[in-house]
Amino acid sequence: RMLRRVLCTVLFMGALPSLAEVSQGHISVVLLGATGDLARKYLWQGLFQLYMDQVSSGHSFTFHGAALTALEPGQRLMFDVLKKLACPPDESPNRCAVLKDQFLKLSQYHQLKTAENYTVLNREIETLLRQEGLKEAGRIFYFSVPPFAYTEIARHINSSCRPPPGAWLRVVLEKPFGHDLESAQQLAAELTSFFREEEMYRVDHYLGKQASSLQCTGPCWAVAHILPFRDQNRQFLDPIWNRHHVERVEIVLKETVDAKGRTSFYEQYGVIRDVLQNHLTEALMFLTMELPANVSRAEEVLQCKLQAFQSLRGLEKNSAVLGQYQAYASQVREELQKAQDYISTTPTFAGVLIHSDNLRWEGVPFLLTSGKALDERVGYVRVLFKNWAYCAQSETLRDAGHSQCKTKQIIFYIGHGALNTPAVLVSRNLFRPVMPEGSWREAVGQSDLHIFGQPLSDYYVYSPVKERDAYSVLISNIYHGRKDFFITTENLLASWGFWTPLLDSISQQPLRLYPGGVENQHLLDFEMVSGEVAFTLAEPVELLNTNRLMPSDYSAVQSKFRQSPLVSAWSEDLISQLASDIEKAASRTVAHSGQFHLALSGGSSPVVLFQRLARHHYAFPWKHTHIWLVDERCVPLTDTESNFFSLHKHLLQSVRVPYFNIHPMPVHLNQRLCVEEDRGTEQYAKEIMALVANASFDLVLLGVGTDGHTASLFPQSENGLEGAQTVVLTESPVKPHQRMSLSLPLINKARQVFILVLGKGKHDIMTLLSRVGRKPRKWPVSGVSPSSGQLVWYVDYEALLG
């Protein structure tokens, strides 16, 4: 009876109060991928630390290493690792030696390859518990395997290896959790068909480096301590944790190592997926989210994080600068046996500028930076505060610690670098922070080290009382069922939803090559200009992307479409031109008549235009602009389907338009949607007549549907294509069916009409429209022809040329 002998030995050492208490519950830990690199380097050590910590907790343990390798070689490989397990420096050598011996006896190897193997493992666990007279408390399955294997393993565990009713199951998943939003959604759907959300623990070891919740008795380190730090220092931070006081925030993880030996992984993921989408984004959430009432409640923390995600401004191609160290391509060719002319577009360095559009952080730049083959290994989160002080004294006479003229900042130092330890640093001219007793200590003695140009004496410096590696802390949290710093499905999908558009837009973007290490010098320095980022130094070598056709590659691009002016370019350049043209029209009209009436369409195409106007056109005369809707879906204005909701999200909340200058369509009256008796159309028509001279808008922006509809005027529409009515209710062939729309006669009274058409999906209708005459009942957009104004088509190359 191996397990009983182990328990008796431990009891003899005085580690446990009684065998009866031990026998109250047994935990089986199954490490899948037990002979792999991660298991060898970290996981077995973490499980050994768990055993040492919890041997007197009232639970008994067995540890099951599992892999695809056959029994004898697998057993040999696993025990070679176990024999090399280290004793922590704070553990007595005698006790550690005995516990290590017991840990080895409690560990066994299994080949887990087929459904039958899982059934056998389940039978062995049940037999052992029955022989020892133990009750099962729960099972932990740690997936230290590639994500493509998750679904099959999950199916086997669910069908053959679940613990009995009354015992818990905890499944631990290592990143990467998908490659983009679509793959993450697919993986999440597969896993949730086998496991409940509360059973899954997605590991971000970056958070483990800093670890646990407010109640932790061990170290609560850097990034994961941001929330507890904010909570415990509310009295100091509440007045200054906002856009009025914070100048910028930097979240940085730099590495000196390259990707050699890992290029098969790195080619698939790259630096953004590997580090920014998960590790650095979690830090960003802890900084920007509103504090919940109770930071120890995982549900409250999750809801606040999801709200913070919703406030993030969407990323564009110019939100990032990308680089690749020069040796990377040859490493890929060698390790993946690629042809000599193979060119990799995988970034190994990224700097990304992120903005949050909530009121607290509006205008504050958040810079996320990470890369391989850089000049130093360091990680930190740095909150830099604005400083309005001017000191008449010379620097030599200023108070070293408390001068108001010195930089004010809070730094959550992850490790390595000059300090070489996790730490929290607060400028002495800010406040003395409250730190949890027992887990953090104030650094004593003054060092000659400088952190961000300031001597250590300028900061209050706190470091963990007792350091432990990331995986020991994470495994401890899994054992205790603490989910505070694990990634939920909602959290994961929100993060991928934020990053995927950027990843798609940069997939073929040229990368800046850099030599690596200190030789990079200033090559990777970048700066913020008008809401975008760009490298400070000009590209030393001209890089050509031969995959992309340029406008000059076409012999001719017509300058007219349907007898009206045509502007055509790649979509990004087209949107830039359209935004500039709208601003020019607004400025001219305001200079002439004092106000500008702009009617905007809904749908997906204008979203990028709205974002461009919000981020780059600071001289736009918003104060004198009236915003009208061309059409609206008959849903509440707070519904994500609403055109007004999209307009507000992507434009209105970011610009200074007077409240009374915004005119949503009245689709929701008397708690009803688009009911004719409520006379919403008449109400909007009267508002237009009262405010817009001659009911003639200065500019109307339209789009085109694949069926030729424009605004919410559809083929064979009963209303709006002709007649005296200016605002009409219409029916759409797709949900939501009911719509409100400006009529074609009213649109044709505008001084200018711009029609925006984007994407390959519109090529067929554009080809058709180029050949047909004015037939609005078949193709409503063909009836757009301003009676005394100008029509201009803005069509990107994909829509125009396919």
Side-chain angles (χ1 to χ4, degrees):
R1 305 286 177 97
M2 172 269 294
L3 182 55
R4 190 159 291 265
R5 284 201 302 273
V6 168
L7 296 175
C8 289
T9 306
V10 172
L11 277 170
F12 182 73
M13 295 169 57
L16 286 175
S18 73
L19 185 59
E21 285 188 31
V22 172
S23 303
Q24 286 176 359
H26 183 82
I27 296 173
S28 304
V29 181
V30 183
L31 174 53
L32 297 136
T35 57
D37 190 54
L38 185 66
R40 283 188 289 109
K41 286 182 178 175
Y42 304 111
L43 298 180
W44 279 116
Q45 188 67 47
L47 291 175
F48 179 42
Q49 184 68 56
L50 174 72
Y51 181 63
M52 286 189 288
D53 291 343
Q54 303 303 330
V55 71
S56 58
S57 67
H59 285 124
S60 57
F61 293 87
T62 45
F63 299 90
H64 305 265
L68 298 175
T69 313
L71 190 61
E72 284 190 22
Q75 211 163 27
R76 198 162 50 247
L77 283 169
M78 188 181 100
F79 278 95
D80 284 345
V81 176
L82 298 190
K83 287 168 192 170
K84 295 172 185 171
L85 292 173
C87 290
D90 57 343
E91 188 66 73
S92 100
N94 289 341
R95 181 175 186 270
C96 183
V98 173
L99 289 178
K100 182 176 174 180
D101 181 56
Q102 304 310 331
F103 182 76
L104 265 65
K105 288 177 181 173
L106 292 170
S107 301
Q108 50 190 296
Y109 178 81
H110 307 262
Q111 183 184 33
L112 285 186
K113 200 171 185 178
T114 64
E116 178 60 24
N117 293 150
Y118 285 85
T119 304
V120 170
L121 171 62
N122 185 63
R123 196 180 305 132
E124 287 183 19
I125 292 173
E126 289 176 346
T127 303
L128 175 70
L129 295 174
R130 192 166 55 251
Q131 288 175 347
E132 302 293 349
L134 295 171
K135 177 185 175 185
E136 186 159 16
R139 297 180 190 180
I140 296 172
F141 284 86
Y142 201 118
F143 285 41
S144 180
V145 295
F148 65 76
Y150 284 2
T151 303
E152 185 183 357
I153 293 171
R155 184 180 293 109
H156 291 321
I157 292 171
N158 186 55
S159 62
S160 312
C161 223
R162 272 188 171 273
W168 46 257
L169 171 67
R170 291 175 192 152
V171 175
V172 189
L173 307 164
E174 277 278 347
K175 81 170 185 74
F177 314 118
H179 184 264
D180 53 18
L181 179 59
E182 186 179 356
S183 60
Q185 287 171 328
Q186 183 181 343
L187 181 59
E190 289 168 355
L191 289 173
T192 50
S193 67
F194 301 117
F195 305 129
R196 297 191 300 274
E197 180 65 32
E198 63 268 23
E199 294 176 329
M200 290 186 281
Y201 290 70
R202 290 184 184 83
V203 169
D204 188 338
H205 62 266
Y206 187 69
L207 299 182
K209 290 177 181 177
Q210 303 86 330
S212 157
S213 64
L214 270 172
Q215 285 73 35
C216 66
T217 54
C220 299
W221 302 343
V223 169
H225 191 65
I226 292 173
L227 277 190
F229 179 88
R230 287 179 59 192
D231 183 60
Q232 292 171 334
N233 291 280
R234 285 181 194 244
Q235 57 178 321
F236 307 118
L237 290 175
D238 276 355
I240 63 171
W241 201 254
N242 56 57
R243 62 193 168 97
H244 302 297
H245 296 273
V246 175
E247 181 179 313
R248 71 179 183 189
V249 177
E250 300 166 6
I251 306 174
V252 175
L253 187 63
K254 295 167 69 177
E255 297 182 85
T256 53
V257 297
D258 60 20
K260 192 171 185 179
R262 293 184 70 226
T263 55
S264 60
F265 167 84
Y266 221 76
E267 264 302 88
Q268 192 177 358
Y269 289 92
V271 67
I272 294 179
R273 291 179 173 93
D274 185 36
V275 178
L276 277 77
Q277 177 271 327
N278 37 66
H279 305 328
L280 302 196
T281 301
E282 282 301 295
L284 176 69
M285 291 299 99
F286 291 149
L287 292 164
T288 58
M289 63 184 268
E290 293 301 311
L291 276 181
N294 185 347
V295 298
S296 298
R297 285 184 58 83
E299 301 83 3
E300 290 185 35
V301 171
L302 172 62
Q303 288 311 309
C304 290
K305 282 167 75 175
L306 293 175
Q307 288 168 10
F309 268 118
Q310 290 171 2
S311 297
L312 294 181
R313 190 182 295 172
L315 295 174
E316 296 176 339
K317 190 164 67 173
N318 292 334
S319 302
V321 288
L322 305 171
Q324 184 189 88
Y325 66 85
Q326 283 173 332
Y328 179 77
S330 60
Q331 290 172 353
V332 169
R333 288 195 286 268
E334 181 184 341
E335 292 181 18
L336 304 184
Q337 298 179 328
K338 298 284 187 182
Q340 283 307 301
D341 60 351
Y342 176 77
I343 297 173
S344 170
T345 57
T346 301
T348 61
F349 169 85
V352 179
L353 173 62
I354 294 176
H355 282 98
S356 172
D357 282 329
N358 73 14
L359 287 176
R360 181 185 292 276
W361 296 114
E362 184 184 26
V364 177
F366 290 82
L367 292 166
L368 275 59
T369 306
S370 187
K372 291 190 174 293
L374 301 182
D375 61 317
E376 62 174 338
R377 184 185 185 192
V378 68
Y380 58 83
V381 176
R382 182 190 184 203
V383 183
L384 187 65
F385 291 87
K386 297 174 182 176
N387 196 340
W388 309 111
Y390 173 78
C391 297
Q393 279 183 310
S394 65
E395 285 195 29
T396 54
L397 296 174
R398 292 178 196 165
D399 178 345
H402 298 86
S403 168
Q404 287 304 305
C405 285
K406 294 217 172 191
T407 304
K408 299 179 179 183
Q409 54 194 331
I410 297 173
I411 303 158
F412 301 93
Y413 203 88
I414 295 156
H416 307 292
L419 278 181
N420 201 32
T421 179
V424 175
L425 299 89
V426 179
S427 293
R428 288 179 179 269
N429 56 5
L430 273 173
F431 57 87
R432 176 187 280 275
V434 177
M435 300 294 283
E437 293 180 17
S439 57
W440 290 84
R441 62 180 166 219
E442 188 169 2
V444 291
Q446 299 306 318
S447 166
D448 58 357
L449 282 178
H450 281 65
I451 304 296
F452 297 113
Q454 289 181 266
L456 217 54
S457 58
D458 281 3
Y459 303 95
Y460 295 110
V461 183
Y462 298 85
S463 58
V465 170
K466 178 181 177 183
E467 288 192 35
R468 289 170 65 177
D469 73 272
Y471 281 100
S472 292
V473 178
L474 287 168
I475 288 169
S476 174
N477 282 337
I478 295 158
Y479 164 78
H480 286 106
R482 295 183 190 133
K483 296 206 72 172
D484 309 44
F485 293 101
F486 292 89
I487 311 302
T488 66
T489 302
E490 280 185 288
N491 191 158
L492 173 70
L493 297 181
S495 180
W496 274 122
F498 174 66
W499 285 102
T500 297
L502 175 69
L503 290 164
D504 290 344
S505 70
I506 62 173
S507 59
Q508 296 299 317
Q509 188 169 325
L511 307 171
R512 167 158 293 193
L513 295 177
Y514 59 96
V518 294
E519 292 180 32
N520 296 333
Q521 297 187 30
H522 299 295
L523 202 58
L524 297 178
D525 294 351
F526 58 93
E527 57 192 4
M528 298 172 284
V529 182
S530 300
E532 298 179 348
V533 284
F535 284 117
T536 307
L537 295 179
E539 180 68 65
V541 179
E542 186 178 0
L543 295 173
L544 296 176
N545 184 356
T546 55
N547 295 328
R548 182 175 177 182
L549 291 171
M550 300 305 290
S552 58
D553 294 322
Y554 296 109
S555 55
V557 175
Q558 63 195 100
S559 58
K560 283 191 176 290
F561 184 80
R562 293 180 58 84
Q563 289 77 53
S564 293
L566 168 70
V567 180
S568 192
W570 291 110
S571 59
E572 192 175 325
D573 299 328
L574 184 73
I575 292 296
S576 176
Q577 184 63 51
L578 174 56
S580 295
D581 290 349
I582 292 174
E583 182 180 341
K584 286 173 190 170
S587 299
R588 280 197 307 268
T589 306
V590 168
H592 181 260
S593 61
Q595 54 187 359
F596 178 61
H597 288 276
L598 173 64
L600 297 169
S601 270
S604 56
S605 293
V607 167
V608 283
L609 171 67
F610 297 160
Q611 292 170 343
R612 180 84 196 178
L613 287 168
R615 296 175 199 179
H616 301 282
H617 290 266
Y618 302 111
F620 198 104
W622 294 114
K623 185 178 177 183
H624 305 286
T625 298
H626 284 259
I627 304 286
W628 301 84
L629 271 289
V630 167
D631 64 325
E632 182 58 279
R633 294 162 177 176
C634 292
V635 295
L637 298 186
T638 53
D639 193 301
T640 54
E641 291 276 335
S642 162
N643 290 340
F644 181 78
F645 181 91
S646 176
L647 176 63
H648 180 269
K649 178 181 178 181
H650 298 292
L651 177 64
L652 297 182
Q653 69 175 2
S654 304
V655 297
R656 304 297 186 192
V657 181
Y659 174 79
F660 291 109
N661 286 12
I662 300 171
H663 309 280
M665 280 186 157
V667 293
H668 197 187
L669 297 172
N670 303 317
Q671 298 183 339
R672 303 189 297 186
L673 292 167
C674 293
V675 174
E676 206 164 326
E677 302 89 80
D678 292 336
R679 303 192 173 192
T681 56
E682 292 178 31
Q683 184 176 315
Y684 207 55
K686 284 178 182 175
E687 196 173 352
I688 293 169
M689 291 298 294
L691 296 173
V692 183
N694 301 317
S696 176
F697 290 105
D698 296 306
L699 197 154
V700 174
L701 177 73
L702 299 175
V704 177
T706 54
D707 59 354
H709 84 263
T710 192
S712 280
L713 303 171
F714 297 93
Q716 311 304 324
S717 180
E718 299 277 329
N719 303 314
L721 296 178
E722 53 192 21
Q725 229 179 330
T726 54
V727 183
V728 295
L729 292 178
T730 64
E731 288 284 327
S732 164
V734 296
K735 289 184 178 180
H737 296 299
Q738 278 191 298
R739 307 288 175 95
M740 186 179 288
S741 178
L742 302 186
S743 69
L744 193 56
L746 180 62
I747 290 169
N748 283 334
K749 288 181 73 173
R751 290 183 174 86
Q752 281 188 300
V753 178
F754 291 171
I755 301 181
L756 173 63
V757 191
L758 300 176
K760 284 182 183 177
K762 302 291 176 68
H763 177 59
D764 289 347
I765 186 65
M766 293 307 291
T767 303
L768 179 68
L769 289 172
S770 69
R771 299 171 185 156
V772 301
R774 189 180 190 279
K775 295 184 179 179
R777 289 198 67 77
K778 289 188 78 172
W779 305 286
V781 71
S782 70
V784 177
S785 178
S787 52
S788 57
Q790 183 190 37
L791 169 62
V792 183
W793 292 82
Y794 291 81
V795 187
D796 75 349
Y797 287 144
E798 290 191 329
L800 189 67
L801 304 166

